[in-house]
Amino acid sequence: MNANLTGHLSPDDPDLSPVTRAMLALRTPLLAAWMDEVRGSVPQAKDLPLPILENTLPAYFDTLASLLTPGHSARILTDIGAVASEHGGERARMTMYDATALIHELQIFRDVLFRELKHHGVELDEAQRTTLFAHIDATIRESTNAFIVVQAALREQFFASMAHDLRTPLSTAQMAAEMIGHTSDDPSVRRFAEKIVASTQRIDGMTRELLDRITFCKTGAVQLVIERMDLTALVRDVAQWAEHFHSVELEVEAEPIEGYWSREAIHRAIENLVNNAIKYGARDPAIRLTLSTTIERVQLMVHNHGTPIAPEDSESIFQLYRRAGRQHPGSGWGVGLPYVRRVAEAHGGSVLMSSSREDGTAFVIDLPTDARPFAGAPTAA
């Protein structure tokens, strides 16, 4: 149930087809081979920290493998698009990649996948090969689109910040030029001072127009106080609080799961997800909190049943002051999920979402185990 979003589908799951299980059994060596080849072939990836290079690839790999199980749910198709988009967005925020590098690393993934499957004796029929090829090609397109959109948002934020910061020295230069014009008896000096004043006023007007044209909400950076902490204990605290309002099931891979994160920010983000599950989910069954790890990363999943979030709302729910109104009517500003995304991205991570009537709704916060090198990373949310 949504284990694909955390990269923890089991190769022993009897509900999965033999070829899916065979792929899952090769997850670790295949991803390791992919990372080695990417480091050697993509210059921008050479010095990337392992958790950033790994990114959401375990979740992507598991979701791709699920496509080879006949009768897979429609949710899997939505999931693979969501994971692909998050991959592209994280590459834009956390690396020096350009679009060419992103496309190259996904092409390497495709080549490594088929090479390693063949090497380990996993036979694919023509329909299965076609399915994998088609969805990897779609992944390249969707990841690249997300990469371009997030890069544009980051450029927009940069230009807005630059335009705002320019106004202070411009104002100082203008006042100095006006003072020179008022105090000098030399006509030439006054004439030049007037030109300086006119030019600074023009530049100031241009910067104000630029600020007016940039349409984004400046909510400020997420303030992170990174410290060593036990995420298992924090999640248990949230689960105990939530049990006053709704039944909760907690599953943890290990205890403790320690790393470096912002305790307050992560606590608020998890509470927001659990509160949404309580508010918008069905009364039964229990809300599930699952805590697991992959290579130098940790995944926290909040899952509930209830009215699903429509695919067309899967992005708008993360936008400030917007919400999936048709599915979840009610009052409120809708700042919870944008905050969750900002917290995850500021830690160098991502948020994945999957929703369907049959499988329920799951949100996964996927973070580097040690967020210190990435604290305050740029956020597109």
Side-chain angles (χ1 to χ4, degrees), residues 96-115:
M96 298 301 293
Y97 274 41
D98 53 22
T100 300
L102 174 65
I103 293 170
H104 190 191
E105 74 164 9
L106 292 173
Q107 290 173 331
I108 292 172
F109 174 84
R110 178 193 59 203
D111 296 342
V112 168
L113 173 66
F114 287 105
R115 184 187 71 211

Side-chain angles (χ1 to χ4, degrees), residues 87-305:
H87 177 77
E90 191 167 325
R91 284 296 189 251
R93 293 182 294 102
M94 298 302 302
T95 72
M96 298 301 293
Y97 274 41
D98 53 22
T100 300
L102 174 65
I103 293 170
H104 190 191
E105 74 164 9
L106 292 173
Q107 290 173 331
I108 292 172
F109 174 84
R110 178 193 59 203
D111 296 342
V112 168
L113 173 66
F114 287 105
R115 184 187 71 211
E116 292 298 310
L117 291 179
K118 182 178 180 180
H119 176 72
H120 288 88
V122 179
E123 298 292 337
L124 301 176
D125 61 31
E126 189 60 32
Q128 291 166 339
R129 290 180 62 85
T130 299
T131 294
L132 293 180
F133 264 111
H135 283 92
I136 292 173
D137 284 346
T139 294
I140 292 174
R141 292 193 299 272
E142 292 175 22
S143 289
T144 304
N145 286 338
F147 179 90
I148 292 170
V149 168
V150 171
Q151 269 207 335
L154 295 176
R155 283 196 300 268
E156 193 173 79
Q157 293 176 16
F158 170 77
F159 286 130
S161 177
M162 182 181 66
H164 181 271
D165 293 345
L166 275 174
R167 299 192 68 192
T168 297
L170 279 173
S171 178
T172 301
Q174 181 179 328
M175 288 188 293
E178 289 174 344
M179 185 173 295
I180 291 171
H182 291 319
T183 58
S184 177
D185 294 328
D186 188 329
S188 296
V189 171
R190 290 201 299 270
R191 187 168 62 254
F192 285 128
E194 289 172 357
K195 288 184 178 181
I196 294 172
V197 170
S199 295
T200 55
Q201 288 176 335
R202 183 183 177 193
I203 296 173
D204 183 60
M206 292 167 65
T207 57
R208 281 188 282 108
E209 182 178 354
L210 177 60
L211 284 170
D212 289 341
R213 286 179 178 271
I214 294 177
T215 55
F216 75 106
C217 298
K218 297 197 293 183
T219 58
V222 176
Q223 299 301 313
L224 301 180
V225 179
I226 302 293
E227 58 184 329
R228 187 170 181 83
M229 55 171 286
D230 176 10
L231 190 57
T232 305
L234 186 149
V235 173
R236 284 194 183 281
D237 287 344
V238 175
Q240 290 173 2
W241 159 78
E243 283 178 339
H244 290 94
F245 310 97
H246 198 288
S247 58
V248 175
E249 293 180 0
L250 177 62
E251 300 175 15
V252 296
E253 179 182 282
E255 194 164 357
I257 294 178
E258 294 187 333
Y260 290 88
W261 305 285
S262 171
R263 182 185 302 274
E264 181 180 357
I266 295 295
H267 192 277
R268 282 188 59 195
I270 298 172
E271 276 193 343
N272 275 326
L273 291 180
V274 173
N275 187 57
N276 279 353
I278 295 170
K279 186 174 182 180
Y280 300 121
R283 294 304 304 169
D284 294 304
I287 295 168
R288 293 177 57 247
L289 275 67
T290 306
L291 193 58
S292 56
T293 63
T294 52
I295 304 174
E296 295 191 20
R297 291 180 78 101
V298 62
Q299 298 82 33
L300 182 281
M301 179 168 68
V302 178
H303 175 272
N304 66 274
H305 285 277

Side-chain angles (χ1 to χ4, degrees), residues 369-381:
T369 304
D370 186 351
R372 289 177 296 179
F374 323 115
T379 67

